[in-house]
Amino acid sequence: MLSPRRRPLLVPVVLCALAVLAAGPAGATDGSGGSGTAAAARVARLYEEAAKATEQYERGRREAEAQRSRARRYDELLDRQRQEVAAVHEDLGSIARAQYRGGGGLPLTARMVLADDPDELMRGQHALRRADLAVDRALGRSRRAEARFAADEARATAAWQALERRNGELAALRKTIEHKLLAARSRLAGEANASVTDGSCPGAVRLDQPEPRSSRAWVAPVETYRLSASFGSGGARWANRHTGQDFAVPVGTPVRSVGEGRVVRVTCGGAFGMQVVVRHPGGYCTQYAHLAAVSVRQGERVGPGRWIGQSGSTGNSTGPHLHFEVRVTPEPGSALDPVPWLEQRGVPL
């Protein structure tokens, strides 16, 4: 089931790898090899580029829709103008026919001689002339308005077509970035699996992070996700029951600490692969497992929304996802259902 809080798939993650620091957690190496951290940083940068390209594309798409709306309004205005011009033409025809029936075919002098009231005839003639002038002015205004609207419509259409071309270029750019991101994710996953197989973790990847967009005390562990295996569900890959909530996300997705706390464990190997455990005030611990990279060290303090790693598929995993647990202790075997636990803290999944 898709999260009701779903955001655009490529979340704007403004990441930039700064340095690889020596890792202090149990089971970690000094990160001297650094190949996995380089891949993690590349994935992070590509996330940023893809997010920017997507943002530009969406902005261009909205502008194109606005141009289409303006073009439709111009069409409606032109239609009304054409109807007004047609009505004026019809009125002019009626006047001409009335003139003809009233002796319009005779010279004015002859009509004055034959008229019972020459003064009334002259007044009528003046009225007809004024009507003719009014009709001519109305026709002129209509023609000018139609030409103006037609020019505006042409400009709007040209602008819309330019936007469409730009959107096509942005779509191609986004596709190219996504292809690069796919390749970088594959490399990151391969290097993470190799590290876990060797029983060693690369050093923590230090990444620049933007200011938190929310002052909430608790957040979801990933911003965009599809919920997959739930707490307590059965499966051939688990000894008893599933002890957490899985979030299906691509390799390299930024993983966030759900709340304030201290990192008490960063390890590699075993069923959980590369994992981070955070202890929160009040004693609860949260676990983030099957990671492809970590960006914190053991003992480090983190706040809600702080990026602590990147998702992967290390350990006992059939595909890319984040395994998230809530525990009473840092050790396995004390897990609670994380969905109601987060909901109680204002984070519906």
Side-chain angles (χ1 to χ4, degrees), residues 40-76:
R42 176 161 176 75
V43 170
R45 285 195 298 272
L46 286 168
Y47 259 96
E48 179 188 5
E49 291 176 16
K52 288 179 179 177
T54 299
E55 184 181 358
Q56 290 175 332
Y57 175 80
E58 289 301 317
R59 185 166 58 246
R61 184 185 58 78
R62 289 192 296 270
E63 290 173 359
E65 286 300 323
Q67 288 288 5
R68 288 191 189 96
S69 297
R70 285 193 287 271
R72 283 193 292 269
R73 288 198 296 273
Y74 281 129
D75 282 340
E76 292 169 1

Side-chain angles (χ1 to χ4, degrees), residues 1-7 223-227 348-349:
M1 178 177 69
L2 286 177
S3 161
R5 298 170 60 253
R6 188 168 57 131
R7 297 173 187 166
E223 287 193 322
T224 302
Y225 53 85
R226 178 176 58 83
L227 296 179
L349 298 178

Side-chain angles (χ1 to χ4, degrees), residues 97-305:
R97 289 191 294 273
Q99 259 190 325
Y100 180 78
R101 287 194 296 270
L106 295 174
L108 178 60
T109 303
R111 277 185 283 148
M112 290 182 66
V113 171
L114 297 174
D116 295 330
D117 188 348
D119 290 337
E120 181 66 25
L121 177 63
M122 288 300 297
R123 284 194 294 273
Q125 190 69 23
H126 288 315
L128 285 173
R129 284 174 182 165
R130 285 197 299 272
D132 286 346
L133 288 173
V135 168
D136 288 342
R137 284 195 295 269
L139 284 172
R141 285 196 302 272
S142 296
R143 290 192 200 96
R144 289 192 296 273
E146 187 167 3
R148 184 173 63 252
F149 284 126
D152 289 344
E153 183 185 40
R155 282 193 294 270
T157 300
W160 169 72
Q161 290 172 346
L163 281 171
E164 286 289 351
R165 286 193 298 272
R166 191 181 75 176
N167 276 5
E169 294 167 358
L170 286 171
L173 172 63
R174 187 175 62 173
K175 190 172 182 180
T176 298
I177 293 172
E178 288 172 355
H179 280 311
K180 292 179 180 178
L181 184 56
L182 183 63
R185 283 173 177 160
S186 178
R187 179 179 176 186
L188 174 61
E191 293 177 350
N193 287 330
S195 293
V196 171
T197 300
D198 293 341
S200 62
C201 289
V205 182
R206 290 306 190 187
L207 303 166
D208 272 348
Q209 300 189 34
E211 290 297 321
R213 289 177 292 180
S214 172
S215 58
R216 299 172 60 121
W218 299 93
V219 297
V222 286
E223 287 193 322
T224 302
Y225 53 85
R226 178 176 58 83
L227 296 179
S228 49
S230 58
F231 179 81
S233 57
R237 300 185 67 83
W238 306 310
N240 296 301
R241 291 283 176 176
H242 193 230
T243 54
Q245 173 63 59
D246 286 352
F247 295 78
V249 288
V251 171
T253 300
V255 174
R256 313 183 295 176
S257 174
V258 296
E260 181 184 356
R262 185 182 297 276
V263 177
V264 295
R265 180 168 297 166
V266 178
T267 59
C268 294
F272 289 119
M274 201 178 297
Q275 64 166 322
V276 173
V277 178
V278 177
R279 187 195 296 274
H280 304 281
Y284 288 106
C285 296
T286 52
Q287 179 210 27
Y288 312 80
H290 305 307
L291 301 177
V294 296
S295 56
V296 291
R297 295 180 299 171
Q298 192 164 302
E300 188 173 340
R301 292 204 63 83
V302 294

